[in-house]
Every structure is written in structure tokens, then in C-alpha cells.
CSV table of all heavy atoms in Angstrom, one decimal:
chain,number,residue,atom,x,y,z
A,1,MET,N,27.1,-4.5,12.3
A,1,MET,CA,27.8,-5.6,11.6
A,1,MET,C,27.8,-6.9,12.5
A,1,MET,O,27.8,-8.0,12.0
A,1,MET,CB,29.3,-5.2,11.2
A,1,MET,CG,29.3,-4.3,10.1
A,1,MET,SD,28.4,-4.8,8.6
A,1,MET,CE,29.2,-6.3,8.2
A,2,GLN,N,28.0,-6.8,13.7
A,2,GLN,CA,28.2,-7.9,14.6
A,2,GLN,C,26.9,-8.7,14.6
A,2,GLN,O,26.9,-10.0,14.6
A,2,GLN,CB,28.4,-7.4,16.1
A,2,GLN,CG,28.8,-8.5,17.0
A,2,GLN,CD,30.3,-8.9,16.7
A,2,GLN,OE1,31.2,-8.0,16.9
A,2,GLN,NE2,30.5,-10.2,16.5
A,3,GLU,N,25.7,-8.1,14.4
A,3,GLU,CA,24.4,-8.8,14.2
A,3,GLU,C,24.4,-9.6,12.9
A,3,GLU,O,23.9,-10.7,12.9
A,3,GLU,CB,23.3,-7.8,14.3
A,3,GLU,CG,23.1,-7.2,15.8
A,3,GLU,CD,21.9,-6.3,15.9
A,3,GLU,OE1,21.1,-6.3,14.9
A,3,GLU,OE2,21.9,-5.5,16.7
A,4,LEU,N,24.9,-9.0,11.7
A,4,LEU,CA,24.8,-9.6,10.6
A,4,LEU,C,25.9,-10.8,10.4
A,4,LEU,O,25.7,-11.8,9.8
A,4,LEU,CB,25.2,-8.6,9.4
A,4,LEU,CG,24.1,-7.6,9.2
A,4,LEU,CD1,24.6,-6.6,8.1
A,4,LEU,CD2,22.9,-8.2,8.6
A,5,LEU,N,27.1,-10.6,11.1
A,5,LEU,CA,28.1,-11.5,11.0
A,5,LEU,C,28.6,-11.8,12.4
A,5,LEU,O,29.7,-11.4,12.9
A,5,LEU,CB,29.3,-11.0,10.2
A,5,LEU,CG,29.0,-10.6,8.8
A,5,LEU,CD1,30.1,-9.8,8.1
A,5,LEU,CD2,28.7,-11.8,7.9
A,6,PRO,N,28.0,-12.7,13.2
A,6,PRO,CA,28.2,-12.9,14.6
A,6,PRO,C,29.6,-13.5,14.7
A,6,PRO,O,30.2,-13.3,15.8
A,6,PRO,CB,27.1,-14.0,15.0
A,6,PRO,CG,26.4,-14.4,13.8
A,6,PRO,CD,26.7,-13.4,12.8
A,7,ALA,N,30.2,-14.2,13.8
A,7,ALA,CA,31.6,-14.8,13.8
A,7,ALA,C,32.7,-13.6,13.7
A,7,ALA,O,33.8,-13.9,14.0
A,7,ALA,CB,31.8,-15.8,12.8
A,8,LEU,N,32.3,-12.4,13.4
A,8,LEU,CA,33.2,-11.3,13.2
A,8,LEU,C,33.7,-10.9,14.6
A,8,LEU,O,33.0,-10.8,15.5
A,8,LEU,CB,32.4,-10.1,12.7
A,8,LEU,CG,33.3,-8.9,12.2
A,8,LEU,CD1,34.2,-9.2,11.0
A,8,LEU,CD2,32.3,-7.7,11.8
A,9,GLU,N,35.1,-10.9,14.7
A,9,GLU,CA,35.7,-10.5,15.9
A,9,GLU,C,35.9,-9.0,16.0
A,9,GLU,O,36.4,-8.4,15.0
A,9,GLU,CB,37.1,-11.1,16.1
A,9,GLU,CG,37.0,-12.6,16.3
A,9,GLU,CD,38.3,-13.3,16.5
A,9,GLU,OE1,39.2,-12.8,17.0
A,9,GLU,OE2,38.5,-14.4,15.9
A,10,VAL,N,35.5,-8.4,17.0
A,10,VAL,CA,35.6,-6.9,17.1
A,10,VAL,C,36.5,-6.6,18.4
A,10,VAL,O,36.3,-7.0,19.4
A,10,VAL,CB,34.2,-6.3,17.3
A,10,VAL,CG1,34.3,-4.9,17.5
A,10,VAL,CG2,33.3,-6.7,16.1
A,11,GLU,N,37.4,-5.6,18.1
A,11,GLU,CA,38.2,-5.0,19.1
A,11,GLU,C,37.9,-3.6,19.1
A,11,GLU,O,38.3,-2.9,18.2
A,11,GLU,CB,39.7,-5.4,19.0
A,11,GLU,CG,40.6,-4.8,20.0
A,11,GLU,CD,42.1,-4.9,19.7
A,11,GLU,OE1,42.4,-5.4,18.6
A,11,GLU,OE2,42.8,-4.6,20.6
A,12,GLU,N,37.5,-3.0,20.2
A,12,GLU,CA,37.3,-1.6,20.4
A,12,GLU,C,38.5,-1.2,21.2
A,12,GLU,O,38.9,-1.7,22.3
A,12,GLU,CB,35.9,-1.2,21.0
A,12,GLU,CG,34.8,-1.6,20.2
A,12,GLU,CD,33.5,-1.1,20.7
A,12,GLU,OE1,33.5,0.0,21.4
A,12,GLU,OE2,32.5,-1.8,20.6
A,13,ILE,N,39.2,0.0,20.8
A,13,ILE,CA,40.3,0.5,21.4
A,13,ILE,C,40.0,2.1,21.8
A,13,ILE,O,39.7,2.8,20.9
A,13,ILE,CB,41.6,0.4,20.5
A,13,ILE,CG1,41.8,-1.1,20.2
A,13,ILE,CG2,42.7,1.0,21.2
A,13,ILE,CD1,42.8,-1.2,19.0
A,14,ASN,N,40.2,2.3,23.0
A,14,ASN,CA,40.0,3.8,23.4
A,14,ASN,C,41.5,4.3,23.4
A,14,ASN,O,42.2,4.0,24.3
A,14,ASN,CB,39.4,3.8,24.8
A,14,ASN,CG,39.3,5.3,25.2
A,14,ASN,OD1,40.0,6.1,24.8
A,14,ASN,ND2,38.3,5.4,26.1
A,15,VAL,N,41.9,5.1,22.4
A,15,VAL,CA,43.2,5.5,22.3
A,15,VAL,C,43.6,6.5,23.3
A,15,VAL,O,44.8,6.7,23.5
A,15,VAL,CB,43.6,6.0,20.8
A,15,VAL,CG1,43.4,5.0,19.8
A,15,VAL,CG2,42.7,7.2,20.5
A,16,VAL,N,42.7,7.1,24.0
A,16,VAL,CA,43.0,8.0,25.1
A,16,VAL,C,43.5,7.1,26.3
A,16,VAL,O,44.5,7.4,27.0
A,16,VAL,CB,41.8,8.7,25.5
A,16,VAL,CG1,42.1,9.6,26.8
A,16,VAL,CG2,41.4,9.7,24.4
A,17,GLU,N,42.8,6.0,26.5
A,17,GLU,CA,43.2,5.1,27.5
A,17,GLU,C,44.2,4.1,27.2
A,17,GLU,O,44.9,3.5,28.0
A,17,GLU,CB,41.9,4.4,28.1
A,17,GLU,CG,41.0,5.3,28.7
A,17,GLU,CD,39.8,4.6,29.2
A,17,GLU,OE1,39.6,3.4,29.1
A,17,GLU,OE2,38.8,5.3,29.7
A,18,GLN,N,44.3,3.7,26.0
A,18,GLN,CA,45.2,2.7,25.5
A,18,GLN,C,46.2,3.3,24.4
A,18,GLN,O,46.3,2.9,23.2
A,18,GLN,CB,44.4,1.6,24.9
A,18,GLN,CG,43.6,0.8,25.8
A,18,GLN,CD,42.6,-0.2,25.1
A,18,GLN,OE1,41.7,0.3,24.7
A,18,GLN,NE2,42.9,-1.4,25.2
A,19,VAL,N,47.0,4.3,24.9
A,19,VAL,CA,47.8,5.0,24.0
A,19,VAL,C,48.9,4.1,23.2
A,19,VAL,O,49.0,4.3,22.0
A,19,VAL,CB,48.6,6.1,24.8
A,19,VAL,CG1,49.6,6.9,23.9
A,19,VAL,CG2,47.6,7.2,25.4
A,20,ALA,N,49.5,3.2,24.0
A,20,ALA,CA,50.5,2.3,23.4
A,20,ALA,C,49.8,1.6,22.3
A,20,ALA,O,50.5,1.3,21.2
A,20,ALA,CB,51.2,1.5,24.4
A,21,ARG,N,48.6,0.9,22.5
A,21,ARG,CA,47.9,0.1,21.5
A,21,ARG,C,47.6,1.0,20.2
A,21,ARG,O,47.7,0.6,19.1
A,21,ARG,CB,46.7,-0.5,22.1
A,21,ARG,CG,45.9,-1.4,21.1
A,21,ARG,CD,46.6,-2.7,21.0
A,21,ARG,NE,45.8,-3.6,20.2
A,21,ARG,CZ,46.2,-4.4,19.3
A,21,ARG,NH1,47.5,-4.5,18.9
A,21,ARG,NH2,45.4,-5.2,18.7
A,22,GLY,N,47.1,2.3,20.5
A,22,GLY,CA,46.9,3.1,19.3
A,22,GLY,C,48.2,3.3,18.4
A,22,GLY,O,48.1,3.3,17.3
A,23,GLU,N,49.3,3.6,19.1
A,23,GLU,CA,50.5,3.9,18.4
A,23,GLU,C,50.9,2.6,17.7
A,23,GLU,O,51.4,2.7,16.6
A,23,GLU,CB,51.6,4.3,19.4
A,23,GLU,CG,51.3,5.8,20.0
A,23,GLU,CD,52.3,6.1,21.1
A,23,GLU,OE1,53.0,5.3,21.6
A,23,GLU,OE2,52.2,7.3,21.5
A,24,GLU,N,50.8,1.5,18.3
A,24,GLU,CA,51.2,0.2,17.8
A,24,GLU,C,50.4,0.0,16.4
A,24,GLU,O,51.0,-0.5,15.4
A,24,GLU,CB,50.9,-0.9,18.8
A,24,GLU,CG,51.1,-2.4,18.2
A,24,GLU,CD,50.6,-3.3,19.1
A,24,GLU,OE1,50.4,-3.1,20.2
A,24,GLU,OE2,50.4,-4.5,18.7
A,25,LEU,N,49.2,0.4,16.3
A,25,LEU,CA,48.3,0.1,15.2
A,25,LEU,C,48.3,1.4,14.3
A,25,LEU,O,47.7,1.4,13.3
A,25,LEU,CB,46.9,-0.2,15.6
A,25,LEU,CG,46.7,-1.4,16.5
A,25,LEU,CD1,45.2,-1.5,16.9
A,25,LEU,CD2,47.2,-2.6,15.7
A,26,GLU,N,49.3,2.3,14.6
A,26,GLU,CA,49.3,3.6,13.8
A,26,GLU,C,48.0,4.3,13.6
A,26,GLU,O,47.7,4.7,12.5
A,26,GLU,CB,49.9,3.3,12.4
A,26,GLU,CG,51.4,2.6,12.6
A,26,GLU,CD,52.0,2.4,11.2
A,26,GLU,OE1,51.4,2.6,10.1
A,26,GLU,OE2,53.1,1.8,11.3
A,27,ILE,N,47.3,4.3,14.6
A,27,ILE,CA,46.0,5.1,14.7
A,27,ILE,C,46.2,6.5,15.1
A,27,ILE,O,46.6,6.7,16.2
A,27,ILE,CB,45.0,4.4,15.5
A,27,ILE,CG1,44.6,3.0,15.2
A,27,ILE,CG2,43.7,5.2,15.7
A,27,ILE,CD1,43.8,2.1,16.0
A,28,THR,N,46.1,7.4,14.1
A,28,THR,CA,46.3,8.8,14.4
A,28,THR,C,45.0,9.7,14.5
A,28,THR,O,45.1,10.9,15.0
A,28,THR,CB,47.2,9.5,13.3
A,28,THR,OG1,46.6,9.2,12.0
A,28,THR,CG2,48.5,8.8,13.3
A,29,SER,N,43.9,9.1,14.3
A,29,SER,CA,42.6,9.8,14.4
A,29,SER,C,41.6,8.7,14.7
A,29,SER,O,41.8,7.5,14.3
A,29,SER,CB,42.3,10.6,13.2
A,29,SER,OG,42.1,9.8,12.1
A,30,THR,N,40.4,9.2,15.2
A,30,THR,CA,39.4,8.2,15.4
A,30,THR,C,38.1,8.8,14.8
A,30,THR,O,38.0,10.0,14.6
A,30,THR,CB,39.2,8.0,16.9
A,30,THR,OG1,39.0,9.2,17.5
A,30,THR,CG2,40.3,7.4,17.5
A,31,PRO,N,37.1,7.9,14.4
A,31,PRO,CA,37.2,6.4,14.5
A,31,PRO,C,38.1,5.8,13.4
A,31,PRO,O,38.2,6.4,12.4
A,31,PRO,CB,35.7,6.0,14.4
A,31,PRO,CG,35.2,7.0,13.4
A,31,PRO,CD,35.9,8.3,13.9
A,32,VAL,N,38.6,4.7,13.6
A,32,VAL,CA,39.3,3.9,12.6
A,32,VAL,C,38.7,2.4,12.7
A,32,VAL,O,38.5,1.9,13.7
A,32,VAL,CB,40.8,3.8,12.9
A,32,VAL,CG1,41.5,2.8,11.9
A,32,VAL,CG2,41.4,5.2,12.8
A,33,ILE,N,38.4,2.0,11.5
A,33,ILE,CA,37.8,0.6,11.3
A,33,ILE,C,38.9,-0.1,10.5
A,33,ILE,O,39.5,0.3,9.5
A,33,ILE,CB,36.6,0.6,10.5
A,33,ILE,CG1,35.5,1.4,11.1
A,33,ILE,CG2,36.1,-0.9,10.3
A,33,ILE,CD1,34.9,0.9,12.4
A,34,ARG,N,39.4,-1.3,11.0
A,34,ARG,CA,40.5,-2.1,10.4
A,34,ARG,C,39.9,-3.5,10.3
A,34,ARG,O,39.2,-4.0,11.2
A,34,ARG,CB,41.7,-2.3,11.3
A,34,ARG,CG,42.4,-0.9,11.5
A,34,ARG,CD,43.5,-1.0,12.6
A,34,ARG,NE,44.6,-1.9,12.0
A,34,ARG,CZ,45.2,-2.9,12.5
A,34,ARG,NH1,44.8,-3.3,13.8
A,34,ARG,NH2,46.1,-3.6,12.0
A,35,LEU,N,40.0,-4.1,9.1
A,35,LEU,CA,39.6,-5.4,8.7
A,35,LEU,C,40.9,-6.2,8.6
A,35,LEU,O,41.7,-5.9,7.8
A,35,LEU,CB,38.8,-5.5,7.5
A,35,LEU,CG,38.4,-6.9,6.9
A,35,LEU,CD1,37.5,-7.7,8.0
A,35,LEU,CD2,37.6,-6.8,5.7
A,36,LEU,N,41.0,-7.3,9.4
A,36,LEU,CA,42.2,-8.1,9.4
A,36,LEU,C,41.8,-9.5,8.9
A,36,LEU,O,40.7,-10.0,9.2
A,36,LEU,CB,42.9,-8.2,10.7
A,36,LEU,CG,43.2,-6.9,11.5
A,36,LEU,CD1,43.6,-7.3,12.8
A,36,LEU,CD2,44.3,-6.2,10.7
A,37,GLN,N,42.8,-10.1,8.1
A,37,GLN,CA,42.6,-11.5,7.8
A,37,GLN,C,44.0,-12.2,8.1
A,37,GLN,O,44.9,-11.8,7.6
A,37,GLN,CB,42.2,-11.7,6.3
A,37,GLN,CG,42.0,-13.2,5.9
A,37,GLN,CD,41.6,-13.2,4.5
A,37,GLN,OE1,42.0,-12.4,3.6
A,37,GLN,NE2,40.9,-14.3,4.2
A,38,ASP,N,43.9,-13.2,9.0
A,38,ASP,CA,45.0,-13.8,9.4
A,38,ASP,C,46.2,-12.9,9.8
A,38,ASP,O,47.4,-13.1,9.6
A,38,ASP,CB,45.6,-14.8,8.2
A,38,ASP,CG,44.6,-15.9,7.9
A,38,ASP,OD1,44.0,-16.4,8.8
A,38,ASP,OD2,44.5,-16.1,6.6
A,39,GLY,N,45.7,-11.9,10.6
A,39,GLY,CA,46.7,-10.8,11.1
A,39,GLY,C,47.1,-9.8,10.2
A,39,GLY,O,47.9,-8.9,10.5
A,40,THR,N,46.7,-9.8,8.8
A,40,THR,CA,47.1,-9.0,7.9
A,40,THR,C,46.0,-7.9,7.6
A,40,THR,O,44.8,-8.3,7.4
A,40,THR,CB,47.5,-9.6,6.6
A,40,THR,OG1,48.6,-10.6,6.7
A,40,THR,CG2,47.8,-8.7,5.5
A,41,GLU,N,46.4,-6.6,7.6
A,41,GLU,CA,45.3,-5.6,7.4
A,41,GLU,C,44.8,-5.6,5.9
A,41,GLU,O,45.7,-5.6,5.0
A,41,GLU,CB,45.9,-4.3,7.7
A,41,GLU,CG,44.8,-3.3,7.7
A,41,GLU,CD,45.2,-1.8,8.2
A,41,GLU,OE1,45.5,-1.6,9.3
A,41,GLU,OE2,45.3,-0.9,7.2
A,42,LYS,N,43.6,-5.9,5.7
A,42,LYS,CA,43.1,-5.8,4.3
A,42,LYS,C,42.2,-4.7,4.0
A,42,LYS,O,41.9,-4.4,2.9
A,42,LYS,CB,42.2,-7.1,4.2
A,42,LYS,CG,42.8,-8.5,4.5
A,42,LYS,CD,43.8,-8.7,3.3
A,42,LYS,CE,44.2,-10.1,3.4
A,42,LYS,NZ,45.0,-10.4,2.1
A,43,PHE,N,41.8,-3.9,5.0
A,43,PHE,CA,41.0,-2.7,4.8
A,43,PHE,C,41.0,-1.8,6.1
A,43,PHE,O,41.2,-2.3,7.2
A,43,PHE,CB,39.5,-3.1,4.7
A,43,PHE,CG,38.5,-2.1,4.7
A,43,PHE,CD1,38.2,-1.5,3.5
A,43,PHE,CD2,37.8,-1.7,5.8
A,43,PHE,CE1,37.3,-0.5,3.5
A,43,PHE,CE2,36.8,-0.7,5.7
A,43,PHE,CZ,36.6,-0.1,4.6
A,44,ARG,N,41.1,-0.6,5.8
A,44,ARG,CA,41.2,0.4,6.9
A,44,ARG,C,40.4,1.6,6.4
A,44,ARG,O,40.5,2.2,5.3
A,44,ARG,CB,42.6,0.9,7.1
A,44,ARG,CG,42.7,2.0,8.2
A,44,ARG,CD,44.2,2.5,8.4
A,44,ARG,NE,44.9,1.5,9.2
A,44,ARG,CZ,45.6,1.8,10.4
A,44,ARG,NH1,45.6,3.0,10.8
A,44,ARG,NH2,46.2,0.9,11.0
A,45,ALA,N,39.5,2.2,7.2
A,45,ALA,CA,38.8,3.4,6.9
A,45,ALA,C,38.9,4.3,8.2
A,45,ALA,O,38.8,3.9,9.3
A,45,ALA,CB,37.3,3.0,6.9
A,46,SER,N,39.2,5.6,7.8
A,46,SER,CA,39.5,6.5,8.9
A,46,SER,C,38.2,7.1,9.3
A,46,SER,O,38.2,7.9,10.4
A,46,SER,CB,40.5,7.5,8.5
A,46,SER,OG,40.1,8.2,7.4
A,47,GLU,N,37.2,6.9,8.6
A,47,GLU,CA,35.7,7.3,9.0
A,47,GLU,C,34.8,6.1,9.0
A,47,GLU,O,35.2,5.0,8.4
A,47,GLU,CB,35.2,8.4,8.2
A,47,GLU,CG,36.0,9.7,8.2
A,47,GLU,CD,35.4,10.8,7.4
A,47,GLU,OE1,34.3,10.7,7.0
A,47,GLU,OE2,36.0,11.7,7.1
A,48,THR,N,33.8,6.0,9.7
A,48,THR,CA,33.0,4.9,9.8
A,48,THR,C,32.4,4.6,8.4
A,48,THR,O,31.8,5.3,7.9
A,48,THR,CB,31.9,5.0,10.8
A,48,THR,OG1,32.5,5.3,12.1
A,48,THR,CG2,31.1,3.8,11.0
A,49,PRO,N,32.8,3.4,7.9
A,49,PRO,CA,32.2,3.1,6.6
A,49,PRO,C,30.7,2.7,6.7
A,49,PRO,O,30.2,2.3,7.8
A,49,PRO,CB,33.1,1.8,6.2
A,49,PRO,CG,33.4,1.2,7.5
A,49,PRO,CD,33.7,2.3,8.4
A,50,THR,N,30.1,2.7,5.5
A,50,THR,CA,28.7,2.2,5.5
A,50,THR,C,28.7,0.7,5.6
A,50,THR,O,29.7,0.0,5.4
A,50,THR,CB,28.0,2.7,4.1
A,50,THR,OG1,28.7,2.0,3.1
A,50,THR,CG2,28.0,4.1,3.9
A,51,ILE,N,27.5,0.0,5.9
A,51,ILE,CA,27.5,-1.3,5.9
A,51,ILE,C,27.9,-2.0,4.6
A,51,ILE,O,28.6,-2.9,4.5
A,51,ILE,CB,26.1,-1.8,6.4
A,51,ILE,CG1,25.9,-1.5,7.8
A,51,ILE,CG2,25.9,-3.3,6.2
A,51,ILE,CD1,24.5,-1.8,8.4
A,52,ASN,N,27.4,-1.4,3.5
A,52,ASN,CA,27.8,-1.9,2.2
A,52,ASN,C,29.3,-1.8,1.9
A,52,ASN,O,29.8,-2.8,1.4
A,52,ASN,CB,27.1,-1.2,1.0
A,52,ASN,CG,25.5,-1.4,1.0
A,52,ASN,OD1,25.1,-2.5,1.5
A,52,ASN,ND2,24.8,-0.7,0.4
A,53,GLN,N,29.9,-0.7,2.3
A,53,GLN,CA,31.4,-0.7,2.2
A,53,GLN,C,32.1,-1.7,3.0
A,53,GLN,O,33.1,-2.3,2.5
A,53,GLN,CB,31.9,0.7,2.6
A,53,GLN,CG,31.5,1.8,1.6
A,53,GLN,CD,31.8,3.3,2.2
A,53,GLN,OE1,31.7,3.5,3.3
A,53,GLN,NE2,32.2,4.1,1.3
A,54,LEU,N,31.6,-2.0,4.2
A,54,LEU,CA,32.3,-2.9,5.0
A,54,LEU,C,32.1,-4.4,4.4
A,54,LEU,O,33.0,-5.2,4.5
A,54,LEU,CB,31.8,-2.8,6.4
A,54,LEU,CG,32.6,-3.6,7.5
A,54,LEU,CD1,34.1,-3.3,7.4
A,54,LEU,CD2,32.1,-3.2,8.9
A,55,LEU,N,30.7,-4.6,4.0
A,55,LEU,CA,30.5,-6.0,3.5
A,55,LEU,C,31.3,-6.2,2.2
A,55,LEU,O,31.8,-7.3,2.0
A,55,LEU,CB,29.0,-6.0,3.1
A,55,LEU,CG,28.1,-6.2,4.3
A,55,LEU,CD1,26.6,-6.2,3.9
A,55,LEU,CD2,28.4,-7.5,5.2
A,56,THR,N,31.5,-5.1,1.3
A,56,THR,CA,32.3,-5.3,0.2
A,56,THR,C,33.8,-5.6,0.5
A,56,THR,O,34.4,-6.4,0.0
A,56,THR,CB,32.3,-4.0,-0.6
A,56,THR,OG1,30.8,-3.8,-1.1
A,56,THR,CG2,33.1,-4.1,-1.9
A,57,ALA,N,34.4,-5.0,1.6
A,57,ALA,CA,35.6,-5.1,2.1
A,57,ALA,C,35.8,-6.6,2.6
A,57,ALA,O,36.8,-7.3,2.3
A,57,ALA,CB,36.0,-4.1,3.1
A,58,ILE,N,34.9,-7.0,3.3
A,58,ILE,CA,34.9,-8.4,3.8
A,58,ILE,C,34.9,-9.3,2.8
A,58,ILE,O,35.6,-10.4,2.7
A,58,ILE,CB,33.7,-8.6,4.9
A,58,ILE,CG1,33.9,-7.8,6.1
A,58,ILE,CG2,33.5,-10.1,5.2
A,58,ILE,CD1,32.7,-7.8,7.0
A,59,ALA,N,34.0,-9.2,1.7
A,59,ALA,CA,33.9,-10.1,0.7
A,59,ALA,C,35.1,-10.1,-0.1
A,59,ALA,O,35.7,-11.2,-0.6
A,59,ALA,CB,32.7,-9.7,-0.2
A,60,GLY,N,35.8,-9.0,-0.3
A,60,GLY,CA,37.0,-8.9,-1.1
A,60,GLY,C,38.2,-9.5,-0.4
A,60,GLY,O,39.1,-9.9,-1.0
A,61,SER,N,38.2,-9.7,1.0
A,61,SER,CA,39.3,-10.2,1.7
A,61,SER,C,39.1,-11.8,1.8
A,61,SER,O,40.0,-12.4,2.3
A,61,SER,CB,39.4,-9.6,3.0
A,61,SER,OG,38.3,-10.0,3.9
A,62,SER,N,37.9,-12.3,1.5
A,62,SER,CA,37.7,-13.7,1.6
A,62,SER,C,38.2,-14.4,0.5
A,62,SER,O,38.0,-14.0,-0.7
A,62,SER,CB,36.1,-14.0,1.8
A,62,SER,OG,35.7,-13.3,2.8
A,63,ASP,N,39.0,-15.4,0.7
A,63,ASP,CA,39.6,-16.1,-0.5
A,63,ASP,C,38.7,-17.4,-0.8
A,63,ASP,O,38.3,-18.0,0.1
A,63,ASP,CB,40.9,-16.5,-0.2
A,63,ASP,CG,41.9,-15.3,-0.1
A,63,ASP,OD1,41.8,-14.4,-1.0
A,63,ASP,OD2,42.7,-15.2,0.8
């Protein structure tokens, strides 16, 4: 996705090493993909979504 949308900001969190950050984001299993817009979660997948699912979520969150 980063190649398709270079402006997309990506944060990778290793919940084993960053336990507090995982708890803060209520991540209870991995992998988790979260799409935020202006700090508000618009999409969350507990398994890696397909590119089409992620593009649909991005398009749906764009106003």
C-alpha cells in the first residue's frame, strides 16, 4: 500500500516490545490494521486485509 499511496502514514507496532502502546490501542491479537482519519479510527481489521479491502476503506473514509 505504501507504494500505491506514498502519502499514507504507516506505524508498525511490535506489541511484544511496545506493550503499553498495544494496550493503549486495544490491540489484543496481531496483525491489526487500523485506518485513522484526523485521529479517529475509521477501519480496523484483525487480519491483514486485501489491497481492495484497504482501498475501499480508504475511499470510504475520504470526505
Side-chain angles (χ1 to χ4, degrees):
M1 285 305 305
Q2 195 75 55
E3 291 176 17
L4 291 174
L5 300 167
L8 189 67
E9 292 183 36
V10 175
E11 176 185 10
E12 292 188 36
I13 301 166
N14 180 333
V15 295
V16 173
E17 294 176 0
Q18 297 170 280
V19 176
R21 183 73 172 137
E23 289 173 354
E24 173 188 343
L25 299 174
E26 299 178 4
I27 296 173
T28 58
S29 64
T30 58
V32 170
I33 304 292
R34 298 173 67 233
L35 174 63
L36 306 172
Q37 183 179 26
D38 299 323
T40 301
E41 185 175 291
K42 299 290 187 171
F43 174 82
R44 179 183 283 235
S46 58
E47 295 185 15
T48 305
T50 65
I51 289 177
N52 286 341
Q53 289 171 323
L54 194 50
L55 288 173
T56 299
I58 291 169
S61 68
S62 299
D63 296 313

